[in-house]
Amino acid sequence: MTSQSMHDLRSKVAELLIVRISGYSQDHYRQYPRWEMANDQLRKLLKEGLGGVIIWGGSCRDIQHRCQNLNKWSNKKILICADIEEGFGQRFHGGSWFIPPMGIGQLFKKNPLKATELAESYGRSTGRQAKSCGLNWVLGPVCDINSNSKNPVINVRAWGEDSLTVSALTCAFQKGVAQTGVLTCAKHFPGHGDTHCDSHLELPALQHHYKNLDELELIPFRKVIHSGIDSVMTGHLLLKNIDSKYPSSLSYELTTNLLRKKIGFQGLVITDALMMNSITRKYSSGEAAVLAFSAGADLILMPEDPSEAINSLIQAIEKGEISMARVEESLERRRNAIKKISNFEITRNASINSCEIENNEERKLKEELITNSSEFHNEHTITIHTNGINLIRVDNSVNCPILIKPAPALSIPESAGYKSLICDELSISPWRKDKNEPLDLARIGNGPILLQLFIRGNPFRGGKERNEPWVNAVKQLQSKRLLSGLIVYGTPYLWEELLNVIEPHIAAAYSPGQTNDVQDYLLKKLMKQSIFIDQKAKKAHNVFTD
Amino acid sequence: MTSQSMHDLRSKVAELLIVRISGYSQDHYRQYPRWEMANDQLRKLLKEGLGGVIIWGGSCRDIQHRCQNLNKWSNKKILICADIEEGFGQRFHGGSWFIPPMGIGQLFKKNPLKATELAESYGRSTGRQAKSCGLNWVLGPVCDINSNSKNPVINVRAWGEDSLTVSALTCAFQKGVAQTGVLTCAKHFPGHGDTHCDSHLELPALQHHYKNLDELELIPFRKVIHSGIDSVMTGHLLLKNIDSKYPSSLSYELTTNLLRKKIGFQGLVITDALMMNSITRKYSSGEAAVLAFSAGADLILMPEDPSEAINSLIQAIEKGEISMARVEESLERRRNAIKKISNFEITRNASINSCEIENNEERKLKEELITNSSEFHNEHTITIHTNGINLIRVDNSVNCPILIKPAPALSIPESAGYKSLICDELSISPWRKDKNEPLDLARIGNGPILLQLFIRGNPFRGGKERNEPWVNAVKQLQSKRLLSGLIVYGTPYLWEELLNVIEPHIAAAYSPGQTNDVQDYLLKKLMKQSIFIDQKAKKAHNVFTD
């Protein structure tokens, strides 16, 4: 091979990769330096022809700045995507962070038209804000059907629990994003809704046959593909009865035979992140990249070692294991996607918005979603207790994206005299070894407790929260007349369980969302007479703080 | 008065105010909505002629965007300042956050030349980054002499414990900032170093006579004034023997007779924030503003209610209590300050830096400051314990500016097998009621403990940390052979106390700084053989996380 053709091949292969970078422009502000490529390597790869990046972290302004630099560093248009399933603000401070899709899924049961309309606006906002900050690809909608309520990784990320709801709402979301000229992505093919474990940690196995898939999981995928979705992401899921050896992201049977041939999808196929444990514990970066591409994927997402992935792909091509025709096919699909973005930009004014990131319409949408998805146990309100305890359960309070100053979950109860106490994986345990009275009240204190549970089945946690005995804890507090109120932010399944035991007079509420806006809405409803009545608490709270 | 002259007067009075705003452009992202003016009111006030703003929060990119908008909204050049005593990164993510001044003060004892050189670079960086983000005024240096080690609010913010050190280093800092064309401010006149309480919470009283001030507190102020400091901030301090009625910020005796006449300061005089409790509990916003201006201040910082402050000042002028000549005098001083900034901008290229916020030189400076100010108890290293506990003491883990991902204080010990446990004001208490064995090990766990104490005497806390029995806790852990290591981040006084009790073989270290860079430096030194040796811990830590 001549050095020129080697250079050309390298450039073509680099175009197949999407690497993970930080939204912060400077290397030492990366939040995950292990996973986020440093700028030196990034610039080198962009020069070599890198196809795109996936961005994590930073504020909207950081992202605008970052994307301007990326475009300067690359000599062609690249794909810039993010995992923004719940609005741009889910990942980037300053954008709109909506309630998770499941909230709209629940509304669909009562009012399908309204729910569909909201899902479309949800998509439109996500696309508009992504674009105004320089992104051109939204890695959503999640098309998984949350048919298994014990699913530790999908849960509220899903648009519903049945195929009709998920199909209708993901199509609406896709339509909304498409109006902004930003690409969309259906995930996680062929369906991650019925799994018991988290593919970030281990490889979930499913007993599904084609028949099962056809009857449930594939329905939303077929629908969004029919509606013109731009890309499909293949999941790390082992469907033993279909491909006993490879997970769908590395499976020719599932990627090519099913997705390409049977379903007939013509757009971009991208793998889920190859640096996830379910892949890395078995395959090297090179092996995973070659297997995924050979299986039929066009783009390789987040290989643990991008250079190794490129080298292995080149070797496979040189050895004839991968044909150039196959490479050209994927490049052609990528070009088409880029063309679609560019055509939109030419016909519309796509300049980066220098004004507000979140517009009034989006702010109203955010509120409407909250009011439409919240539930209240009764009309009671939480009363003041000068020795009250505001017990908050979160995964991790450090850099917690849902406890952002002024965090109403803290500030509102505090203004009514409650002392805040946070229980998370980094704090002294609130539990003791008594199944029926699991809370260690000697540690927590004996005042009346307002319980705020932020539990949504987050990925990477392996469903740890499922082992926490909140049902018994609520019973314990009630039996001692120490429960002054209860709020569940997140999973509807825990809320349903608690509704079975909560006494009629206890003030309680639920929202699928967890953000400041949600906290503010629920707490003001539940504490309306109580806020700022306690003058002492008010005084303490009014101190000018830095 | 005609409506035109009324309009002119209002505009002149508005020019005397500096109001507090958020660094975030959108109202609902304000972290302290109670204290940070909303955009509607801000735009109105800027149109009326507002003199300036003080900014809190946001990333450097947010600040650039914010300042561009401010300049659009105002029809004249305004003062834009921030409380950045420890580098731009102290308040704004992405900037350099250096060790606190006290660290350089300690170095001065050993190597005054080196310390002075570092203080100048420290100032130069602070000014350069402030300017590149749109600010034109640094509210520093702190000229207080920390002569009282129990001072709950100055502590490590001071440049030293004696007048020579503080004078030399504050002059060097001032010189550094001045090289970037950004204004400086000496605070808190006439000296906040010998106080026992925090003026954010209550009014500190001092028994000082002029003689005491002349012999200590005033020395650095005279020096920096002589070196050309642009402004002086008057503190909320009651010097009973000099002015029995008013704190220095509202005292004619201290502001005019002492600062203006005796010392002869010709630059801008600005009050400390008038929304601090020591003022608001006694005076309304209007009263405080009129008193401060009448006392001799030019600019009124952060009145609780800016409209009331403006109206009261106008009334006082109309009643003849404040003369127009006095107003014109202050306006003239403000114009001179603005002129100084503008002249600098004309002669130098002052465009907003589109590249890196922190340059290589500043990164090196940051590291040099850390290595020069860190102390190690011995050459021992911390060993691995699979059941080890990484006990971290911070003020508050929510939105904690010193535990920013990847927070080496957490991640490095975790990579060596330690489980992190955070004790803060929101967690279950680690203490029990036994003076000699104060740590409740039944709650914390019985593994060997690596103790990391982040204690620096933060303002707004009233010296709470002084009541924590860390000396006895260290003794307790040592007697049980459960202390595997100790790090103090912050106040040198606690470190000195602990050095008296710590056993010779215990690995221990100290830094005045608390940032990620500091944590990384100290922990890598103390744990060098231990990091990543525990394969199980390594595996758990390597999971791809979001």
Side-chain angles (χ1 to χ4, degrees), chain A residues 20 28-29 95 358 422 426, chain B residues 28-29 95 358 422 426 544:
Chain A
R20 173 167 174 175
H28 55 296
Y29 287 105
E358 182 181 61
I422 293 185
L426 297 174
Chain B
H28 55 296
Y29 287 105
E358 182 182 61
I422 293 185
L426 297 172
F544 150 61

Side-chain angles (χ1 to χ4, degrees), chain A residues 502-513:
Chain A
I502 198 156
E503 292 170 5
H505 65 281
I506 300 286
Y510 163 75
S511 169

Side-chain angles (χ1 to χ4, degrees), chain A residues 20 26 28-29 32 35 56 61 65 91 95 354 358 363 397 399 405 422 426 460 542 544 546, chain B residues 20 26 28-29 32 35 61 65 91 95 354 358 363 397 399 403 405 422 426 460 542 544 546:
Chain A
R20 173 167 174 175
Q26 293 190 273
H28 55 296
Y29 287 105
Y32 301 96
W35 309 116
W56 250 270
R61 301 298 167 194
H65 183 261
R91 301 287 176 199
S354 70
E358 182 181 61
R363 234 184 320 272
S397 61
N399 299 135
K405 269 179 202 156
I422 293 185
L426 297 174
F460 318 105
N542 267 2
F544 149 61
D546 149 17
Chain B
R20 174 167 173 174
Q26 293 188 274
H28 55 296
Y29 287 105
Y32 301 95
W35 309 116
R61 301 297 167 195
H65 183 260
R91 301 287 176 198
S354 69
E358 182 182 61
R363 233 184 322 272
S397 62
N399 299 135
L403 292 179
K405 269 179 202 154
I422 293 185
L426 297 172
F460 318 105
N542 267 2
F544 150 61
D546 149 17

Side-chain angles (χ1 to χ4, degrees), chain A residues 9 13 16-17 234 236 246-253 255-256 269 271-272 274 279 282-323 326-327 330:
Chain A
L9 178 57
V13 169
L16 305 172
L17 256 63
T234 50
H236 304 322
Y246 294 116
S248 40
S249 50
L250 310 183
S251 162
Y252 186 87
E253 178 60 29
T255 309
T256 296
V269 173
T271 64
D272 202 346
L274 291 185
I279 299 299
K282 202 161 167 192
Y283 305 101
S284 70
S285 295
E287 285 164 355
V290 170
L291 283 170
F293 193 78
S294 303
D298 299 304
L299 298 175
I300 306 300
L301 180 65
M302 288 162 65
E304 203 176 18
D305 181 339
S307 304
E308 190 195 306
I310 292 176
N311 291 336
S312 294
L313 283 166
I314 291 174
Q315 279 167 26
I317 294 163
E318 288 174 340
K319 283 194 220 154
E321 291 164 14
I322 293 173
S323 72
R326 178 64 188 79
V327 172
S330 288

Side-chain angles (χ1 to χ4, degrees), chain A residues 454-471:
Chain A
F454 292 83
I455 297 181
R456 54 169 271 171
N458 275 336
F460 318 105
R461 303 183 49 76
K464 272 186 209 162
E465 49 278 270
R466 284 196 311 235
N467 301 320
E468 294 174 353
W470 288 111
V471 171

Side-chain angles (χ1 to χ4, degrees), chain A residues 368-487:
Chain A
E368 198 178 353
L369 286 165
I370 293 171
T371 52
N372 274 295
S373 62
S374 299
E375 292 175 27
F376 293 88
H377 175 49
N378 56 35
E379 295 290 308
H380 292 280
T381 56
I382 295 169
T383 46
I384 285 183
H385 295 284
T386 43
N387 64 334
I389 296 162
N390 173 33
L391 188 63
I392 293 178
R393 186 267 177 228
V394 288
D395 289 346
N396 188 319
S397 61
V398 174
N399 299 135
C400 182
I402 49 174
L403 291 179
I404 299 287
K405 269 179 202 156
L410 294 165
S411 63
I412 293 180
E414 283 167 8
S415 76
Y418 283 77
K419 183 194 177 328
S420 294
L421 198 66
I422 293 185
C423 293
D424 67 359
E425 61 190 3
L426 297 174
S427 69
I428 291 173
S429 169
W431 305 111
R432 55 178 200 164
K433 279 182 189 141
D434 180 330
K435 227 190 111 187
N436 294 318
E437 301 205 331
L439 280 176
D440 192 338
L441 296 177
R443 294 181 180 186
I444 293 168
N446 261 308
I449 291 177
L450 162 60
L451 201 55
Q452 298 191 68
L453 306 178
F454 292 83
I455 297 181
R456 54 169 271 171
N458 275 336
F460 318 105
R461 303 183 49 76
K464 272 186 209 162
E465 49 278 270
R466 284 196 311 235
N467 301 320
E468 294 174 353
W470 288 111
V471 171
N472 282 349
V474 164
K475 283 190 199 165
Q476 176 189 0
L477 293 175
Q478 286 182 150
S479 76
K480 292 187 187 301
R481 309 202 161 278
L482 281 177
L483 187 63
S484 106
L486 168 72
I487 305 180

Side-chain angles (χ1 to χ4, degrees), chain B residues 80-225:
Chain B
I80 309 182
C81 65
D83 244 339
I84 36 176
E85 302 164 3
E86 302 175 11
F88 198 66
Q90 183 191 6
R91 301 287 176 198
F92 308 110
H93 190 76
S96 304
W97 189 355
F98 301 117
I99 58 156
M102 182 63 83
I104 306 183
Q106 303 281 14
L107 178 64
F108 189 86
K109 294 175 190 169
K110 291 176 277 181
N111 190 343
L113 218 70
K114 182 75 190 166
T116 311
E117 199 184 291
L118 289 171
E120 186 179 329
S121 305
Y122 194 115
R124 191 164 48 239
S125 158
T126 307
R128 195 193 69 79
Q129 294 182 11
K131 180 170 207 149
S132 79
C133 289
L135 276 70
N136 50 34
W137 190 9
V138 168
L139 297 185
V142 168
C143 290
D144 307 317
I145 299 165
N146 203 55
S147 54
N148 180 350
S149 69
K150 299 287 181 204
N151 191 313
V153 59
I154 300 300
N155 207 311
V156 292
R157 295 166 69 192
W159 288 87
E161 297 158 309
D162 62 86
S163 62
L164 176 72
T165 308
V166 174
S167 300
L169 297 179
T170 52
C171 285
F173 176 90
Q174 183 272 333
K175 192 175 159 195
V177 177
Q179 287 157 23
T180 66
V182 166
L183 305 177
T184 46
C185 181
K187 66 197 191 185
H188 310 79
F189 188 84
H192 205 319
D194 195 15
T195 58
H196 291 78
C197 69
D198 181 349
S199 54
H200 294 88
L201 307 172
E202 49 186 315
L203 183 60
L206 288 170
Q207 305 302 328
H208 288 48
H209 292 270
Y210 270 129
K211 187 170 177 305
N212 309 108
L213 292 181
D214 275 331
E215 285 169 0
L216 190 72
E217 276 83 356
L218 291 181
I219 297 173
F221 285 99
R222 290 190 198 267
K223 289 278 184 190
V224 290
I225 287 170

